[in-house]
Amino acid sequence: MKQLLTAMLLVAFTLTGNAQNHKFGKVSKEELEQKQHAIDSTASAAVLYKNENIYFEFADEKGFMQRREVHERIKIYDKEGFDYATEKIFLYRGNGGSIERLSGLKGYTYNLIDGKIQKDKLKKDGIFEEDANEFIEINTITMPNVKEGCIIEFVYNVTSPFLGIDDIVFQYSIPIDKLDLRIASPEYYVYNKKVNPRAFYYPDIKSSTENKSATYKKTVQNNQASRSVKNYSSGSFEYKVNVLTANETDIPSLKGEAYAGNMDNYRAKMSLELSAILNSYGAVEKSFSSNWENVSKSIYDGSDFGNQLNKSNFFKDDIATLMASATDDFQKGFILQSYIKSKVKWNGLYGFRTHKGTRKAYKEGEGNVADINLLLIAMLRSQGVNASPVLVSTKDHGVPLFPTRKGFNYVICMIESQDSYALFDATEMYSMPNVLPQRVLNWQGRVIKDDGTSRWVSLRPTGKAKGSTALNVKINDDFSVNGKVRRNITDHLAMSYRKRNTGISDDEHRKRLEKNNGDIEVTEIEYQNGTNITEPVKLSYNYALKDGIDEIGDNLYFAPMLFMATKECPFKLEERQYPIDFIFPFEDKYMINIMIPEGYQVESLPESGIFEFKDGESKFTYRVKENGNFLQFNIALEINTSFINSADYKVFKEFFEMIVEKQSEQVVLKKV
């Protein structure tokens, strides 16, 4: 064993040792011959090297311009790693024609063919430009001739007139063998550094200073009596540069885990907030340092936000009749939310700032998130309802690390009445008060009052979504099974089901019910309240199952939940770094009625029992009763808190494994 370990270490050392030339284009045969990653054998790809160099150059008439140079080399081990042969480069546009520019883009794909390195160059047909919105242009590069075992490599430069520095990402979904980072900013720009505190990998970032000098040339316009004369002056100046560096090796991949939510919340990354601009004497010329209160107020004061909440003349007459029957503020919220859903279609764009403005969105029948939800707030306020905007960072946007306007990308509505509140989102067709789309359920949002004050409010649902299923089971002479399923679901469970299944054909619905449920045939589907969101979703269908019963000798064996049982525990890891996030609390109940076939009697049944996790935070109930010719099972899973800390993972994993095991326990019927 010791000799084997020594040999493996030697191989790993040889592989990494021969791959130390990180100069662009110097890919080695040893790198191409690698069949799997030396540390993470499950990796479909790995970053062999990444260099990111960010600095500022002084340019005449423009001042300091930001430069970002990127060099990346990626090894692709199998087909699952092909996605890493595509890179997206985001370029930002500002007001007044300011724009970031891409230059120096080149790339190659390397393959080992008959012992020789073959090089394929990235060409223009592999580069695609598109506008994500009015502020962002995306340049997508797709590398040529990508095969299993190949290496891709690319370099590019971005020149930016903006002082904001993009987040620095230290961790990918694949391992990184070596990463070199350097950020050099002039002493006149003060950045606050913040590394993601939720990450489990923490890079070693070093700080230092350097002396630099720059030359300048200024144009001076002299207007003389008969003509205009341009004169030039030049000079130089010295300044200090603040430098951040990181030289990391063997950065582990950020692996997704079941029910972990947005993994980006746990990614190792660093944000740099521009907090101040200093003059040449070191005094603060402009301060950007802020807190969430100031950030919220600055957003509210914008013409594309708070100003939109005071406009009501264009809809006042339209909603007067609607409001005549409303008896309380929450009912007004539901009625107006439903009205806006029918009147203004969401265009799929996020944003806390209006794109068209509430008036134009209302007239044209389409708008972004802010157009729609600020319109809802404006309507409610026109009816005397205490309604306020809530700024949100969606789940795919992550959690902001410091107070900044960029920390939010969404806005919803909150109604407060009689010491309680409800949250509304009129962009989602199937949403209800306090039943928000999952994209919004990202821990907490920032509610802004009309007096400019703000506070955090929880976005996590407290009410339980409920599912209730009645399953009738009849065992036939050929040991096939048939029966009927009736299912009712509410709240977030109902919203998810409606989004997936409302509007599809019965045939497609049948295929979805049959998928991954064994040799089953579903017929006579009845789907009710697909669009009536005030009522639970109701679903019923008949089924015929051919593989639900095992006959061994004179005995019949089967699990009472049949095709509805949870087949395996989703929590596979022995250790877990991240919390479990079910998003919302829920309760799922099953009432199963099994007819004992003629000529058989009960030999054995699973035992009844109640199992709890952490004093009832989660609970599993399993009750069985023999009643004449019928077996009756009442089975229920309650997840009363949707967030399980990683410290409790092992205990919860055991709890969930017990649930899966209990659902697989067999009823045994003996032939009389």
Side-chain angles (χ1 to χ4, degrees):
M1 178 63 74
K2 184 177 180 180
Q3 291 177 336
L4 177 61
L5 180 60
T6 302
M8 290 174 64
L9 290 172
L10 181 61
V11 170
F13 177 79
T14 302
L15 288 174
T16 55
N18 288 333
Q20 292 304 306
N21 191 344
H22 298 129
K23 187 176 180 182
F24 182 75
K26 297 298 182 180
V27 170
S28 68
K29 286 179 64 176
E30 289 78 11
E31 289 174 301
L32 284 164
E33 288 171 342
Q34 287 184 31
K35 300 301 182 186
Q36 65 181 34
H37 191 259
I39 297 175
D40 185 355
S41 61
T42 66
S44 60
V47 177
L48 301 180
Y49 181 64
K50 180 174 182 180
N51 182 286
E52 190 162 5
N53 183 26
I54 298 171
Y55 59 97
F56 289 79
E57 267 186 356
F58 189 81
D60 290 333
E61 309 293 343
K62 295 180 180 178
F64 284 103
M65 299 286 287
Q66 183 184 161
R67 314 277 189 191
R68 181 161 66 97
E69 300 172 349
V70 176
H71 171 204
E72 198 157 349
R73 182 183 297 175
I74 300 174
K75 170 75 177 183
I76 295 175
Y77 296 108
D78 55 41
K79 290 181 179 179
E80 290 184 5
F82 282 9
D83 287 345
Y84 294 96
T86 299
E87 174 79 359
K88 290 186 181 294
I89 305 168
F90 294 83
L91 302 177
Y92 300 95
R93 304 186 187 101
N95 297 323
S98 299
I99 188 172
E100 294 183 331
R101 301 192 182 278
L102 177 66
S103 63
L105 172 61
K106 57 182 177 179
Y108 293 94
T109 301
Y110 306 88
N111 284 286
L112 195 61
I113 308 296
D114 297 328
K116 295 184 179 180
I117 298 177
Q118 175 183 299
K119 208 162 74 164
D120 292 280
K121 184 178 181 180
L122 173 66
K123 297 180 180 178
K124 287 185 177 179
D125 60 4
I127 305 170
F128 308 92
E129 298 178 6
E130 62 175 320
D131 290 333
N133 55 47
E134 59 185 313
F135 302 107
I136 299 175
E137 175 189 301
I138 302 176
N139 283 249
T140 302
I141 61 174
T142 302
M143 300 300 293
N145 200 21
V146 175
K147 301 177 181 179
E148 293 183 70
C150 75
I151 289 174
I152 65 164
E153 187 175 38
F154 52 82
V155 292
Y156 63 85
N157 305 320
V158 174
T159 301
S160 173
F162 308 121
L163 300 181
I165 299 175
D166 286 350
D167 287 356
I168 306 299
V169 177
F170 291 100
Q171 196 174 28
Y172 290 175
S173 298
I174 55 175
I176 300 175
D177 290 355
K178 183 167 177 55
L179 183 147
D180 291 329
L181 169 72
R182 186 177 188 272
I183 303 173
S185 58
E187 61 181 318
Y188 312 114
Y189 307 143
V190 181
Y191 294 89
N192 290 335
K193 177 187 71 176
K194 184 75 172 180
V195 178
N196 185 6
R198 295 182 177 87
F200 289 86
Y201 178 84
Y202 203 88
D204 181 17
I205 302 169
K206 295 180 171 63
S207 301
S208 62
T209 58
E210 296 177 358
N211 293 319
K212 293 275 288 184
S213 63
T215 59
Y216 64 86
K217 184 170 155 182
K218 293 169 64 175
T219 303
V220 181
Q221 190 82 23
N222 288 329
N223 294 319
Q224 298 181 359
S226 58
R227 60 194 176 97
S228 177
V229 178
K230 287 185 178 179
N231 294 323
Y232 300 93
S233 65
S234 61
S236 63
F237 62 96
E238 295 184 352
Y239 60 97
K240 289 186 181 297
V241 172
N242 297 312
V243 181
L244 297 174
T245 58
N247 305 103
E248 299 291 294
T249 57
D250 298 331
I251 301 175
S253 61
L254 184 71
K255 293 181 183 289
E257 297 179 1
Y259 298 101
N262 179 16
M263 291 302 296
D264 196 55
N265 290 337
Y266 308 107
R267 191 179 305 279
K269 60 182 177 180
M270 177 175 66
S271 295
L272 294 168
E273 176 200 21
L274 180 64
S275 62
I277 297 177
L278 309 181
N279 61 24
S280 57
Y281 301 102
V284 175
E285 189 171 281
K286 191 171 185 180
S287 175
F288 301 95
S289 290
S290 190
N291 52 42
W292 286 116
E293 190 80 17
N294 292 337
V295 167
S296 303
K297 189 175 187 308
S298 69
I299 292 172
Y300 193 90
D301 289 342
S303 61
D304 50 11
F305 193 91
N307 187 49
Q308 302 294 317
L309 305 178
N310 301 319
K311 299 176 178 179
S312 60
N313 289 335
F314 62 94
F315 60 69
K316 209 160 191 175
D317 293 340
D318 296 344
I319 67 173
T321 304
L322 292 173
M323 292 293 94
S325 60
T327 57
D328 62 55
D329 290 347
F330 297 129
Q331 187 181 16
K332 290 177 182 178
F334 176 74
I335 292 172
L336 289 175
Q337 181 189 53
S338 301
Y339 174 68
I340 290 176
K341 288 178 186 179
S342 67
K343 181 73 175 175
V344 186
K345 181 182 178 182
W346 179 39
N347 60 15
L349 297 178
Y350 292 0
F352 61 78
R353 299 182 298 187
T354 56
H355 177 62
K356 295 181 176 181
T358 53
R359 182 193 300 271
K360 189 174 181 181
Y362 184 73
K363 297 296 184 185
E364 295 183 357
E366 184 183 72
N368 72 351
V369 165
D371 289 324
I372 291 170
N373 284 329
L374 295 185
L375 174 61
L376 173 60
I377 296 167
M379 287 184 174
L380 288 164
R381 288 188 174 183
S382 74
Q383 300 301 307
V385 177
N386 182 9
S388 304
V390 180
L391 297 167
V392 173
S393 173
T394 57
K395 293 178 76 69
D396 61 356
H397 192 246
V399 178
L401 301 183
F402 51 75
T404 170
R405 291 165 64 98
K406 292 195 300 182
F408 302 112
N409 68 329
Y410 206 97
V411 61
I412 60 174
C413 165
M414 182 173 80
I415 294 177
E416 295 175 279
S417 180
Q418 298 179 350
D419 298 326
S420 61
Y421 70 87
L423 300 173
F424 295 76
D425 185 349
T427 67
E428 177 58 59
M429 181 61 66
Y430 305 114
S431 68
M432 290 276 289
N434 287 332
V435 181
L436 302 173
Q438 290 190 20
R439 60 180 174 267
V440 177
L441 303 180
N442 197 19
W443 296 350
Q444 60 182 4
R446 190 85 185 179
V447 59
I448 317 178
K449 307 300 293 180
D450 54 7
D451 61 2
T453 60
S454 65
R455 69 178 190 275
W456 293 110
V457 59
S458 175
L459 300 174
R460 300 194 71 85
T462 55
K464 281 194 293 188
K466 295 183 178 181
S468 176
T469 302
L471 173 64
N472 293 330
V473 179
K474 180 178 181 295
I475 301 173
N476 302 311
D477 293 340
D478 61 355
F479 308 123
S480 64
V481 176
N482 65 273
K484 192 173 188 70
V485 173
R486 293 181 179 86
R487 182 161 173 79
N488 287 7
I489 47 179
T490 69
D491 295 341
H492 284 93
L493 290 173
M495 181 169 67
S496 296
Y497 199 90
R498 287 182 172 111
K499 288 184 70 173
R500 292 193 309 270
N501 299 297
T502 299
I504 66 173
S505 67
D506 286 346
D507 187 54
E508 178 61 26
H509 205 161
R510 175 186 57 79
K511 289 178 181 178
R512 294 183 181 185
L513 291 170
E514 292 176 347
K515 187 177 181 182
N516 300 324
N517 281 326
D519 192 357
I520 190 174
E521 181 181 349
V522 170
T523 57
E524 298 184 36
I525 299 172
E526 291 186 20
Y527 176 42
Q528 299 177 40
N529 301 327
T531 56
N532 182 7
I533 62 175
T534 62
E535 296 292 332
V537 164
K538 292 186 177 183
L539 175 70
S540 68
Y541 56 89
N542 294 338
Y543 71 91
L545 182 66
K546 293 182 179 180
D547 58 356
I549 305 289
D550 290 324
E551 181 192 17
I552 303 175
D554 288 336
N555 291 346
L556 304 182
Y557 297 81
F558 61 94
M561 291 187 71
L562 298 175
F563 56 92
M564 293 191 164
T566 302
K567 296 176 178 63
E568 61 180 7
C569 179
F571 308 109
K572 306 293 187 185
L573 301 176
E574 291 302 318
E575 303 282 344
R576 180 173 173 128
Q577 293 179 317
Y578 315 110
I580 296 170
D581 187 0
F582 287 110
I583 305 176
F584 51 85
F586 63 89
E587 178 180 69
D588 213 2
K589 291 183 176 181
Y590 293 85
M591 292 149 283
I592 304 169
N593 204 34
I594 302 171
M595 180 185 296
I596 301 173
E598 187 176 350
Y600 284 85
Q601 66 182 22
V602 173
E603 174 73 6
S604 64
L605 295 173
E607 292 184 2
S608 297
I610 298 176
F611 310 89
E612 291 189 351
F613 165 75
K614 287 193 72 173
D615 297 325
E617 284 190 10
S618 295
K619 183 178 178 181
F620 182 69
T621 304
Y622 192 103
R623 292 191 176 96
V624 57
K625 179 182 178 182
E626 187 176 355
N627 186 8
N629 292 330
F630 290 90
L631 297 176
Q632 296 173 336
F633 291 83
N634 284 282
I635 301 171
L637 172 62
E638 297 176 60
I639 302 293
N640 297 313
T641 178
S642 59
F643 197 80
I644 312 294
N645 287 318
S646 56
D648 297 320
Y649 171 68
K650 283 190 175 181
V651 179
F652 189 82
K653 180 175 184 285
E654 291 173 0
F655 169 76
F656 216 93
E657 286 173 339
M658 178 277 304
I659 293 173
V660 176
E661 183 179 347
K662 192 67 181 173
Q663 290 184 14
S664 68
E665 289 183 359
Q666 305 261 299
V667 171
V668 182
L669 301 181
K670 183 178 180 179
K671 192 171 185 179
V672 178

